[in-house]
Amino acid sequence: MDELFEIYRDRLTGDDEDLDIIALAVVENNSRQELLNIVKEMNDYELHFFISMYLTETLKDKFAKYSGNMDNTQQSKYLH
């Protein structure tokens, strides 16, 4: 992470769009094994944070999709 920050700190603003671009570039330019090596190098705090963020974002997405499906189902009841 420190290396990525040093590379991009003077080039990007650090807003969500920039961070998405950096994350996507890392994922696309590394193999599965290289990504697993990044995870293996994490200390306990970083690993817990990483898993927590993954779970949080995945659950947010699932709840949003579920909520969207429920809204469509409820709306369709009233349209007929």
Side-chain angles (χ1 to χ4, degrees):
M1 285 302 162
D2 291 338
E3 293 169 13
L4 285 174
F5 178 75
E6 289 300 320
I7 292 169
Y8 293 108
R9 73 177 175 172
D10 294 326
R11 296 185 207 177
L12 302 173
T13 62
D15 65 14
D16 286 345
E17 188 174 317
D18 287 346
L19 299 176
D20 287 343
I21 291 168
I22 294 169
L24 186 59
V26 169
V27 171
E28 287 183 346
N29 292 312
N30 287 283
S31 69
R32 177 183 177 87
Q33 189 57 51
E34 290 167 328
L35 295 172
L36 289 172
N37 287 339
I38 293 170
V39 173
K40 286 179 185 177
E41 292 175 6
M42 292 178 178
N43 63 38
D44 287 347
Y45 175 81
E46 292 168 328
L47 180 61
H48 291 159
F49 181 78
F50 173 71
I51 297 298
S52 175
M53 289 296 296
Y54 168 76
L55 292 172
T56 300
E57 293 303 317
T58 301
L59 286 170
K60 279 183 189 177
D61 186 49
K62 288 188 180 292
F63 276 106
K65 287 178 182 175
Y66 177 77
S67 176
N69 288 338
M70 292 298 290
D71 289 344
N72 291 339
T73 302
Q74 290 172 354
Q75 289 175 357
S76 66
K77 288 180 190 177
Y78 302 108
L79 291 175
H80 297 277

